[in-house]
Amino acid sequence: MVNRFEAIMSRVEQNPDKKRCAVVCADGPTREAVREAETRGLIQAEFFSGDLAPMEAVRGVHAGQFDILLKGNIDTAVLLKEVVNKEYGLLTGRLISHVALLDVPRYHKLLLLTDGGMVMYPDLDQLRGILENAAGVMRRLGVELPKVACLAAVEKVHERMPETVRAAALKELQQTGEIRDCLVEGPISFDLAFDREAGRTKGYDSPVAGDADVFLVPDFVSGNLLAKSLVYGGGARFAGFLAGARAPVILTSRASSAEEKLYSIACSALVSSLSN
Amino acid sequence: MVNRFEAIMSRVEQNPDKKRCAVVCADGPTREAVREAETRGLIQAEFFSGDLAPMEAVRGVHAGQFDILLKGNIDTAVLLKEVVNKEYGLLTGRLISHVALLDVPRYHKLLLLTDGGMVMYPDLDQLRGILENAAGVMRRLGVELPKVACLAAVEKVHERMPETVRAAALKELQQTGEIRDCLVEGPISFDLAFDREAGRTKGYDSPVAGDADVFLVPDFVSGNLLAKSLVYGGGARFAGFLAGARAPVILTSRASSAEEKLYSIACSALVSSLSN
């Protein structure tokens, strides 16, 4: 099996122009991950602590002094309040959504799952923003035409299942050219998106079947359950950050390992590097 | 690792009073699974075919001639219409819900996931019915006091996240004695329900943490995604049937393997056996 997060780290290491990471209120695991990332040559870090740390770090990113924002041991809400500040925050006019990159041993490539953490019950417009953020991240990771699976429990559109209606609408937006530079399929069930053989058995013909890059979920509850089942049930490794802001924002939780923070830093550095 | 579906099959094999299974419109994989189940001494089967097969089989279960109903190659809707027939169907007054039994290599015991297939967007009353059906199945499988995890993305109750409100309400129903013979926790995230270590890291103290028997999802979309990610991402083996009817109803899909049908037959036979 290709060690896919390590492949991303190698690419970031080889970039001579190291990305600068603002670290807010680092705790032990955060400090450990940042030191490891610096040792590997992934980033250059600066630490902010104290009550003003969230504001100072966000102002620094706003001013272009930093390419990545990394949350340590503070409430997510406190940091997000600064991120969305209209004067000095990181808003770009795009929707801000969460992307999880998962390295699942039983899948043949890195996959992106969204949005399991930021936009709770998205409507069609928000789903479109989530989709476009995700496709953009995948392109910056080197996938030229990302394949997006708009997940549901079934493949048919039923009016009484609103997630199937929205999935079909997203597919149509891509087919009419409203959504560009990606290939959208939906509604599609998880087995068909994940497993080529399942598609053959069900006679489901789509280039996205068994080969999706982006797994777009209907809401954050299903996304959260799905990501955690892939990590705990499927042995997946996880990286996560916010997309759609001026810079990637890494919001790892208290339970996140130093390893998870390290992968998040590496992926953020690659996304940041190629978007400038 | 204990081979847990095989343990269930052993128990069923040892029962001298073989359960009787009505098979509706068998196709190749269904016939293969039924023959294997008969060879192993799990059941005695009778096959129904033709246009009247769904009605005839359901009438037979209603009359007590059969203990299990197994769907072959017909539309689920066609069979369900007979199951819910008020004159000769299998209604008991309880909610009919779908239970999936999953043998996940990374989990230390068989787990039950519900409802990923029948009740689409349950309200609190329906969730209670789903929960009670699931706990009943688990008790019949030998778990005296099933531990039920009412899943959400977070552990705190937020009014703007209705699934957390309903999960807390279910926990309260158990604590006040309205729901009996099981232990209910919620809202609880998947990692805390599945992984003991995650609970320790987050300082989450509950007997259900890392040891849930029943994983209760907020709706069928998240349940469907979760079950399929455990099967395809986690290498889990799957069995499924409807609970709450007069007899277990096995609704395996066209894509189901003979193996999946066999496990479903074995679990249904055990549930049926001990409920009479």
Side-chain angles (χ1 to χ4, degrees), chain A residues 14-267:
Chain A
Q14 285 154 21
N15 185 352
D17 174 27
K18 291 305 158 213
K19 295 295 137 182
R20 298 149 301 172
C21 180
V23 187
V24 185
C25 303
D27 54 5
T30 307
R31 208 168 283 274
E32 186 190 329
V34 169
R35 291 299 175 215
E36 174 71 17
E38 286 193 319
T39 303
R40 289 181 184 235
L42 301 177
I43 53 159
Q44 294 173 326
E46 190 164 318
F47 291 88
F48 293 81
S49 60
D51 288 350
L52 296 178
M55 188 192 69
E56 290 169 353
V58 167
R59 279 184 184 274
V61 178
H62 179 88
Q65 292 156 13
F66 301 101
D67 309 289
I68 300 164
L69 185 65
L70 172 59
K71 177 181 99 82
N73 187 25
I74 54 164
D75 264 9
T76 299
V78 171
L79 185 59
L80 283 183
K81 199 183 153 201
E82 302 296 332
V83 167
V84 301
N85 181 289
K86 284 185 182 156
E87 185 201 332
Y88 55 78
L90 310 182
L91 297 175
T92 61
R94 286 192 292 154
L95 179 80
I96 294 181
S97 59
H98 187 266
V99 298
L101 288 160
L102 288 161
D103 194 336
V104 187
R106 284 175 175 264
Y107 201 55
H108 59 287
K109 58 185 177 182
L110 209 65
L111 70 86
L112 189 159
L113 195 154
T114 189
D115 177 344
M118 189 71 189
V119 187
M120 295 201 294
Y121 310 101
D123 59 22
L124 181 60
D125 266 1
Q126 290 172 313
L127 281 173
R128 179 188 173 155
I130 290 168
L131 194 164
E132 289 177 334
N133 278 346
V137 166
M138 265 301 172
R139 282 193 297 271
R140 283 174 235 141
L141 291 176
V143 180
E144 277 185 36
L145 192 73
K147 296 174 179 173
V148 179
C150 301
L151 294 172
V154 293
E155 293 81 53
K156 283 184 188 161
V157 177
H158 295 279
E159 287 300 327
R160 58 185 178 147
M161 301 183 191
E163 67 281 0
T164 65
V165 176
R166 289 193 286 263
L170 290 169
K171 179 178 179 178
E172 198 182 329
L173 285 172
Q174 185 255 301
Q175 288 180 329
T176 57
E178 293 273 317
I179 293 177
R180 292 173 180 275
D181 302 326
C182 59
L183 191 60
V184 177
E185 187 58 87
I188 180 171
S189 57
F190 182 83
D191 51 334
L192 293 179
F194 191 86
D195 188 81
R196 214 176 287 260
E197 200 51 51
R200 282 200 200 99
T201 307
K202 285 195 186 174
Y204 185 87
D205 186 30
S206 162
V208 179
D211 197 38
D213 298 294
V214 174
F215 288 70
L216 183 84
V217 293
D219 60 33
F220 89 116
V221 185
S222 54
N224 189 287
L225 291 175
L226 187 54
K228 284 174 174 165
S229 84
L230 289 171
V231 169
Y232 288 91
R237 298 187 293 169
F238 179 98
F241 53 89
L242 298 185
R246 190 181 284 240
V249 177
I250 304 173
L251 296 174
T252 47
S253 78
R254 286 165 297 145
S256 305
S257 63
E259 193 191 31
E260 183 178 316
K261 293 180 207 286
L262 179 65
Y263 299 143
S264 301
I265 291 169
C267 294

Side-chain angles (χ1 to χ4, degrees), chain A residues 224-225 228, chain B residues 151-155 187-194 202:
Chain A
N224 189 287
L225 291 175
K228 284 174 174 165
Chain B
L151 293 172
V154 294
E155 292 81 53
I188 180 171
S189 57
F190 182 84
D191 51 334
L192 293 178
F194 191 88
K202 285 195 183 173

